Amino acid sequence: MRRRTWSIALAVLFIAQLVWYLLYTDGIVQSFRGNSETLSQIHAHVLEGVGDPRPDAADQALFRVQGVILESRVPLVVTGPGDTVYAAANLPFEADLSIPSGQARVRDFASDLDRRNPPLGDPTVTLIHFGDPPEVRRLQWIPLLQAGGLLLTVAIGTMIIGVHRRAEGERAWTAMARELAHQLGTPVSSLQGWLELLKLPAEDRPEGLADEEIGTEIGRDITRLERISLRFELIGREPDLVEVDLGRVVESLREYLEVRLPRLSSGVSLEVEIAQDLPPVLGSEVLLTWALENVVKNSLDALGGKGGTIRIRAEEAQGGKVHVLVSDTGPGVPPEIRREIFEAGVTTKARGWGVGLALSKRIIEGVHRGRLEIGEDNDSGAAFHFLIPSAKSKRG
């Protein structure tokens, strides 16, 4: 969820810069349109002066042209022989041309203008020194503004990503510790239950359980504790992949859960269907069991206190893959979190940490190069699809 917030913040920043840039360049475009209008006015005044037969028409036209030029804000300096400054307009400073210091300052300014734009006219009569219009000066800032905006976005994005990664790392460590405690909770609780049964006389035990049967179940729980330890060891590195009978993994999970279902979630039944001649997959049995168990436990939590059915079906799929479907008759996944259900921290449980499905996703897709997807939304509960490449397809 926080990742989306940071993404939205960066998107808003980018859009704000883009809008500002568009407004800035639109202002420049409007200014250039104004320049076109200014040239049209000059042309019109010249035509009026040429076509008017009155003696002073030319002088009036020149006066009007001068007014248009002054309004254009283009710096202009007119000099004659000996670099005498005759006139100046649109200077960035005030200067008195009637005194030598004013003449010298304007001549220096004219020299600066000549470095960018060669003067026009005859140096023995009159030279016109001119600068860039304001629009050109504004255009010179665009590359700097673009580079500055990009660097600002990169700097803020890098900072946000760094903060986000540190926060994610802290949450991951906390969540993994919580998940470890959760994983250990089931076999430890089971061991406590078996020990309580051992204290009872044989005639008071449910279904007349013998010491040998209880010992067998205790052994399974101890084996399970060893597997949990191995799981957390394997999740941090690349495990060795071998041929795994996925049907046997499902069957082993069924045997383990059926004995414990009455204590884990009352009123829940487990239905398992494994196709014959199911091809093996190339993977880690420990991690595949963990991934499958996390999804099944998610269904158990959804059915807790309500009862229902969990179905597991394993079959060969097209494209050299093995398909495992885990579905339940629970309330399903809320629409608002369906797209984020496999992200760490996303959960529908009040006290959940949202780690199990994220781990399953990483195991199936990161380690086994398969896919783990949630089924289409429906009124009959949640459905999760495992698609794992078979060992034959990987060798091919």
Side-chain angles (χ1 to χ4, degrees):
M1 297 295 285
R2 293 186 179 182
R3 185 182 303 171
R4 172 172 291 185
T5 302
W6 289 123
S7 300
I8 292 174
L10 284 175
V12 169
L13 175 63
F14 175 78
I15 292 173
Q17 290 183 1
L18 179 62
V19 170
W20 175 84
Y21 178 72
L22 292 175
L23 291 175
Y24 185 83
T25 52
D26 182 68
I28 295 175
V29 170
Q30 298 301 326
S31 299
F32 275 113
R33 287 176 178 169
N35 288 343
S36 300
E37 183 179 350
T38 298
L39 293 175
S40 299
Q41 290 176 354
I42 293 174
H43 182 67
H45 292 322
V46 171
L47 291 178
E48 289 176 6
V50 172
D52 195 330
R54 291 178 299 171
D56 62 342
D59 292 337
Q60 292 180 3
L62 289 175
F63 180 77
R64 289 193 293 271
V65 168
Q66 184 183 24
V68 173
I69 293 174
L70 292 176
E71 292 177 357
S72 70
R73 296 181 296 166
V74 175
L76 291 173
V77 176
V78 180
T79 61
D83 289 336
T84 301
V85 179
Y86 290 157
N90 298 324
L91 301 180
F93 53 86
E94 296 292 333
D96 187 354
L97 299 181
S98 63
I99 58 176
S101 60
Q103 287 273 328
R105 188 175 183 186
V106 175
R107 277 196 296 269
D108 292 339
F109 180 71
S111 298
D112 292 337
L113 296 179
D114 294 344
R115 294 189 185 98
R116 293 190 294 271
N117 305 306
L120 303 176
D122 186 349
T124 61
V125 182
T126 301
L127 281 179
I128 299 177
H129 312 264
F130 63 95
D132 296 326
E135 293 73 23
V136 173
R137 293 196 294 272
R138 291 172 66 185
L139 281 173
Q140 292 173 347
W141 286 98
I142 287 183
L144 295 177
L145 294 173
Q146 288 177 325
L150 179 62
L151 290 175
L152 177 63
T153 302
V154 171
I156 294 177
T158 302
M159 180 185 67
I160 290 175
I161 291 173
V163 172
H164 180 68
R165 283 182 175 176
R166 285 193 294 272
E168 282 290 328
E170 293 175 0
R171 285 197 300 272
W173 278 110
T174 304
M176 288 295 285
R178 183 69 177 83
E179 179 66 14
L180 176 59
H182 177 70
Q183 291 279 329
L184 294 174
T186 301
V188 169
S189 298
S190 181
L191 284 171
Q192 290 173 339
W194 296 124
L195 290 175
E196 290 297 324
L197 286 177
L198 282 175
K199 295 177 183 179
L200 295 174
E203 60 273 11
D204 294 337
R205 296 173 187 170
E207 300 180 1
L209 285 172
D211 291 348
E212 292 79 7
E213 295 175 287
I214 295 176
T216 300
E217 295 302 328
I218 289 177
R220 288 183 177 180
D221 283 326
I222 292 174
T223 301
R224 182 146 187 88
L225 287 173
E226 293 174 346
R227 284 189 176 183
I228 291 172
S229 174
L230 181 59
R231 286 174 179 179
F232 282 90
E233 178 186 349
L234 292 177
I235 199 66
R237 59 183 176 86
E238 288 292 330
D240 296 327
L241 303 182
V242 298
E243 286 195 0
V244 176
D245 183 350
L246 206 53
R248 185 165 60 85
V249 170
V250 173
E251 183 62 26
S252 176
L253 180 61
R254 181 191 66 79
E255 292 175 357
Y256 181 82
L257 290 175
E258 279 188 340
V259 179
R260 293 158 179 80
L261 273 179
R263 293 192 304 276
L264 294 174
S265 189
S266 178
V268 175
S269 61
L270 182 64
E271 297 180 2
V272 175
E273 181 182 346
I274 303 172
Q276 294 183 350
D277 301 325
L278 193 68
V281 298
L282 198 63
S284 166
E285 181 175 350
V286 173
L287 293 181
L288 286 172
T289 302
W290 193 8
L292 187 61
E293 180 185 307
N294 285 337
V295 176
V296 173
K297 282 189 174 181
N298 192 71
S299 295
L300 280 173
D301 292 334
L303 297 175
K306 304 173 185 178
T309 302
I310 299 174
R311 297 182 179 90
I312 306 176
R313 187 174 74 242
E315 60 188 355
E316 187 174 3
Q318 295 180 349
K321 293 180 174 60
V322 176
H323 175 224
V324 179
L325 171 65
V326 178
S327 60
D328 61 61
T329 57
V333 180
E336 60 270 18
I337 67 168
R338 286 182 63 84
R339 296 181 59 183
E340 304 165 344
I341 191 66
F342 293 109
E343 292 186 13
V346 177
T347 180
T348 58
K349 293 176 284 187
R351 300 180 61 185
W353 284 75
V355 180
L357 292 179
L359 280 171
S360 295
K361 185 86 167 175
R362 184 174 185 270
I363 290 169
I364 298 302
E365 299 189 356
V367 178
H368 295 85
R369 303 296 183 265
R371 290 208 319 270
L372 175 56
E373 301 171 344
I374 186 170
E376 295 297 326
D377 193 16
N378 53 59
D379 298 328
S380 59
F384 292 88
H385 298 269
F386 293 75
L387 283 170
I388 307 169
S390 67
K392 182 179 179 180
S393 67
K394 285 196 173 185
R395 287 195 300 266

